[in-house]
Amino acid sequence: MNKIRLIYDLLLENYGFQGWWPINGKYNPNNYSYPRTAEQRFEICVGAILTQNTSWKQVEKALENLRRMNALNPQSITSFEVNKLKQAIKPSGYFNQKARKLKEFTTFFLQLKKEPTREELLSIWGVGPETADSILLYAYKKPLFVIDAYTKRVFNRIGFKEKTYDELQKLFMNNLKPDYKLFNEYHALIVEHAKKLCAKKPDCGKCFLNRMCKKIIR
Ligand code: SF4
């Protein structure tokens, strides 16, 4: 078995199914049938934008504000006065930029006649590779591996040399079968591992990846 797959098996064995992406604040472990509606899909896209440079905990607060205002849908985001939108998403930080990003994305979303391509998503102001791939994987069930700061930290510490977004993405996509369920779960498990054990200050003594890890800590 290749090392990338082996790490997945160990992460799953130790943390269990993560149930990403939460819909309406609810996690659905080992159930990859979501999103089931356009509104749920839109909720994931909004979360993918709001989570840029902030923790999911803060995003949840912003999503809850939007939910309470009955505004977690494209029509409301479009019609919302921008200052009201900024106020609602304030907990997620960078709210001036993120309000504009949400407006721009929503205009794009409402015009969609079919599923978006990666190139189309990347052409939207404020959407970079991580956000585009998160949207494609979690909202559209496309087998694209999402790379984030946690992935880079964990896998570089383990000893993989790949540094850039594209290099790391290729590492996963060349070593795993193209299965959106697997990519969904793997990414969520990496996030969990980076929070629980492979944090900024790692707890290597307790880590089940210890024996295969080069522990390159910078
Ligand atoms: S052994 Fe330490 S550095 Fe390596 S993956 Fe585990 S926690 Fe991270």
Side-chain angles (χ1 to χ4, degrees), residues 81-215:
E81 202 271 311
V82 73
N83 284 329
K84 206 169 152 193
L85 182 59
K86 285 180 189 173
Q87 202 54 37
I89 64 169
K90 203 168 184 176
S92 71
Y94 304 96
F95 53 91
N96 288 319
Q97 283 184 26
K98 285 182 182 174
R100 183 179 160 199
K101 288 178 186 182
L102 285 184
K103 289 265 186 196
E104 301 246 354
F105 176 80
T106 305
T107 304
F108 168 84
F109 186 85
L110 283 169
Q111 287 167 358
L112 278 175
K113 300 267 184 295
K114 55 181 176 56
E115 294 183 349
T117 64
R118 191 172 194 261
E119 289 66 36
E120 285 170 341
L121 287 167
L122 288 172
S123 72
I124 305 167
W125 187 82
V127 174
E130 184 185 333
T131 307
D133 291 340
S134 296
I135 288 172
L136 288 167
L137 176 62
Y138 288 100
Y140 290 93
K141 302 178 183 172
K142 299 292 173 214
L144 280 159
F145 207 93
V146 177
I147 304 300
D148 60 6
Y150 292 141
T151 316
K152 191 166 158 40
R153 178 165 84 203
V154 173
F155 283 80
N156 285 168
R157 281 176 176 174
I158 289 174
F160 290 96
K161 302 269 182 281
E162 290 78 359
K163 295 276 182 242
T164 67
Y165 190 98
D166 290 351
E167 286 168 357
L168 280 158
Q169 189 177 51
K170 272 195 197 119
L171 172 70
F172 289 93
M173 293 183 62
N174 289 343
N175 281 287
L176 298 168
K177 62 179 172 122
D179 174 358
Y180 81 89
K181 296 178 185 174
L182 173 65
F183 289 8
N184 167 326
E185 199 62 54
Y186 205 155
H187 175 70
L189 286 164
I190 293 168
V191 174
E192 186 67 5
H193 186 58
K195 286 183 185 163
K196 289 260 168 71
L197 291 175
C198 201
K200 269 188 193 152
K201 192 164 173 253
D203 197 349
C204 301
K206 288 192 187 145
C207 182
F208 49 88
L209 299 176
N210 200 323
R211 266 191 257 166
M212 68 167 74
C213 180
K214 292 205 167 49
K215 299 175 207 57

